[in-house]
């Protein structure tokens, strides 16, 4: 990202507010102009990233997406318009960016990102942003970025909350240090299933754009050694500290094993490290939950969520263990506490509980453990099942 020619008069005028900004200035603006950033996903998270990086004068912005604009995207994907419905998202994004800043070059990559295409496309860029919000892409990007030593800004969103962080290979932890095993995409509800506040990806994607600009200009400290949780309902931003895991299969001290747990197309699969089948996370619905005798219920929501809306009485013994605070010993402790009873993990919409169930399942393979289940759709789905009448009249 070495700077080349000085800024011309037009650029000096356009970026005047950056030139007087401590930490950016002319050096930072030239670094932005000379940078090449790849944005994976031109959806809710990608929209503010493409917008603000174009406005900031990032020289080359690559956009990866194989999808077309749909009407239901317009609630949050603000770079697309009604006129663009049916058009390739990469084309719609490129038109938006070039209208905003004709000095920016947009590279359209209308492909689905998998391990093969990632290793072809990523080396052309200096920084990678995950705006896809799907699990398999996040793992593909994490592994490829660590292998290629490219900084990766990642984020995910659900309903009213989001999380983000930055992987700086060789310096800080990677995404697999936090979540070693991919889930199959079907195990996690996406925006279509769980819903999402339209402005939420705007907030979280903008935070991704901020990190990209910090990486390129060197301003401030990159959001590296942790996961930042944003909760729109409580207006909170919380940092969970995260350290590199020496056992990590991608960035740890042992042999590097890329794309583990992902099939050839880069999708999550249930094939474990040894190639042996590991069990699927079993999802149960509200009726199946009610039919269980005396389950051991693990509520993995944050304490503030639990306080606002506790698990209903009569489900069995309930313990609260927010997934964000799980340590390597938590799974074993919970399995011991279950004393052979069926274990049901629960969260708001079924995403975190599926992850928690996967951790417990991996742990229980080493012992003849209890049955492990995740409540599909979370408490939201249970509520719908339990109170159909009041919902109809309400
Ligand atoms: Zn790692």
């Amino acid at each position: 990202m070495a700077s080349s020619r000085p800024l011309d008069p037009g650029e000096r005028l356009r970026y005047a507010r950056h030139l007087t900004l401590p930490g950016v200035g002319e050096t930072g603006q030239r670094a932005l102009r000379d940078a090449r950033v790849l944005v994976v996903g031109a959806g809710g998270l990608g929209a503010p990233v493409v917008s603000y990086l174009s406005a900031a004068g990032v020289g080359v912005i690559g956009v990866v997406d194989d999808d077309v604009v749909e009407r239901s995207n317009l609630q949050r994907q603000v770079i697309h318009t009604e006129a663009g419905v049916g058009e390739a998202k990469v084309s719609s994004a490129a038109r938006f960016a070039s209208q905003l800043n004709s000095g920016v070059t947009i590279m359209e990559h209308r492909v689905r990102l998998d391990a093969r295409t990632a290793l072809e496309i990523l080396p052309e860029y200096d920084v990678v942003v995950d705006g896809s919000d799907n699990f398999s892409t996040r793992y593909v990007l994490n592994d490829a970025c660590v292998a290629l030593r490219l900084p990766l800004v990642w984020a995910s969103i659900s309903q009213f909350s989001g999380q983000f962080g930055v992987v700086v290979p060789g310096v800080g932890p990677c995404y697999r240090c936090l979540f070693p095993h991919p889930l199959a995409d079907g195990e996690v509800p996406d925006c279509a299933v769980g819903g999402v506040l339209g402005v939420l990806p705007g907030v979280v994607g903008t935070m991704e754009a901020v990190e990209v600009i910090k990486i390129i200009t060197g301003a401030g400290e990159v959001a590296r050694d942790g996961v930042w949780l944003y909760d729109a309902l409580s207006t909170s931003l919380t940092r969970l500290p995260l350290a590199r895991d020496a056992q990590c299969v991608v960035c740890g001290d042992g042999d590097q094993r890329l794309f583990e747990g992902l099939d050839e197309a880069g999708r999550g699969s249930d094939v474990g490290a040894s190639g042996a089948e590991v069990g699927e996370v079993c999802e149960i619905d509200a009726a199946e939950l009610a039919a269980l005798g005396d389950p051991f219920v693990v509520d993995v929501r944050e304490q503030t969520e639990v306080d606002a809306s506790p698990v209903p009485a009569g489900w069995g013994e309930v313990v609260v263990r927010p997934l964000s605070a799980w340590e390597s010993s938590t799974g074993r402790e919970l399995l011991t506490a279950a004393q052979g009873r069926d274990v049901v993990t629960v969260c708001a919409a079924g995403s975190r509980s599926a992850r928690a169930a996967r951790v417990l399942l991996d742990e229980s393979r080493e012992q003849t453990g209890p049955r492990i289940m995740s409540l599909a759709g979370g408490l939201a789905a249970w509520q719908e099942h339990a109170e159909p009448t009041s919902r109809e009249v309400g």
Side-chain angles (χ1 to χ4, degrees):
M1 282 181 258
S3 285
S4 47
R5 64 170 173 81
L7 299 178
D8 64 33
E11 289 170 327
R12 299 195 67 81
L13 181 63
R14 180 171 193 128
Y15 304 114
R17 299 297 183 278
H18 271 169
L19 300 186
T20 53
L21 186 65
V24 180
E26 169 137 6
T27 308
Q29 192 60 50
R30 284 167 63 171
L32 288 167
R33 185 193 60 200
D34 296 339
R36 303 174 62 93
V37 177
L38 184 68
V39 182
V40 179
L45 290 166
V49 176
V50 169
S51 306
Y52 278 108
L53 295 187
S54 301
V58 168
V60 177
I61 301 173
V63 183
V64 179
D65 206 305
D66 68 341
D67 220 346
V68 296
V69 179
E70 294 176 35
R71 194 158 290 272
S72 65
N73 298 153
L74 304 179
Q75 169 248 21
R76 62 197 178 283
Q77 303 181 12
V78 295
I79 55 175
H80 307 304
T81 62
E82 290 178 7
V85 171
E87 186 182 8
K89 282 189 179 176
V90 287
S91 309
S92 173
R95 186 174 57 248
F96 175 92
S98 57
Q99 285 175 352
L100 177 59
N101 190 343
S102 59
V104 171
T105 301
I106 304 292
M107 307 295 291
E108 299 179 33
H109 302 281
R110 193 176 177 186
V111 294
R112 179 157 187 85
L113 199 93
D114 56 26
R116 185 181 57 80
T117 52
L119 292 175
E120 282 171 9
I121 298 170
L122 267 58
E124 301 294 313
Y125 294 90
D126 305 312
V127 182
V128 179
V129 187
D130 182 5
S132 69
D133 200 18
N134 86 57
F135 267 87
S136 54
T137 303
R138 194 166 315 133
Y139 281 92
V140 165
L141 287 177
N142 179 75
D143 293 10
C145 283
V146 171
L148 297 166
R149 299 185 81 80
L150 288 172
L152 168 67
V153 182
W154 65 268
S156 71
I157 51 169
S158 177
Q159 298 188 329
F160 294 97
S161 62
Q163 44 184 274
F164 67 95
V166 181
V167 176
V168 185
V171 180
C174 81
Y175 189 76
R176 282 197 196 249
C177 293
L178 175 64
F179 298 115
H181 309 293
L183 295 173
D185 283 338
E187 289 180 90
V188 184
D190 60 15
C191 293
V193 180
V196 65
L197 185 70
V199 69
L200 184 80
V203 174
V204 179
T206 301
M207 287 172 168
E208 289 191 284
V210 171
E211 295 307 313
V212 172
I213 290 170
K214 284 158 64 182
I215 291 168
I216 295 169
T217 60
E221 288 176 32
V222 172
R224 191 186 69 203
D225 299 315
V227 174
W228 276 256
L229 305 176
Y230 170 69
D231 183 67
L233 293 181
S234 62
T235 324
S236 62
L237 183 63
T238 313
R239 172 181 178 261
L240 303 174
L242 174 66
R244 194 177 69 92
D245 178 2
Q247 309 291 318
C248 177
V249 297
V250 173
C251 78
D253 297 337
D255 291 340
Q256 190 177 57
R257 300 199 298 276
L258 300 178
F259 310 120
E260 197 163 282
L262 300 164
D263 63 21
E264 278 178 36
R267 293 186 296 269
S269 77
D270 57 357
V271 177
S274 62
E277 291 273 318
V278 301
E280 294 270 3
V281 168
C282 173
E283 296 208 299
I284 58 169
D285 61 22
E288 290 165 321
L289 172 69
L292 289 176
D294 179 29
F296 181 70
V297 178
V298 182
D299 186 344
V300 301
R301 295 173 299 160
E302 298 299 312
Q303 190 65 50
T304 50
E305 297 175 84
V306 177
D307 293 343
S309 166
V311 165
W315 280 18
E317 183 183 346
V318 179
V319 297
V320 177
R321 288 283 184 286
L323 185 63
S324 58
W326 280 37
E327 295 169 351
S328 56
S329 59
T330 305
R332 187 165 299 275
E333 286 164 14
L334 288 169
L335 289 172
T336 304
Q339 296 180 320
R341 286 170 289 177
D342 293 332
V343 177
V344 181
T345 56
V346 175
C347 68
S351 167
R352 284 169 291 177
S353 65
R355 281 195 214 167
R358 169 50 61 95
V359 173
L360 292 173
L361 198 62
D362 286 349
E363 191 70 48
S364 74
R365 271 189 297 152
E366 296 164 21
Q367 43 179 281
T368 44
R371 290 194 299 169
I372 293 159
M373 291 155 275
S374 168
L375 180 61
L379 285 165
W382 177 84
Q383 201 84 18
E384 206 161 326
H385 170 86
E387 299 171 0
T389 318
S390 63
R391 286 180 64 88
E392 276 163 26
V393 297

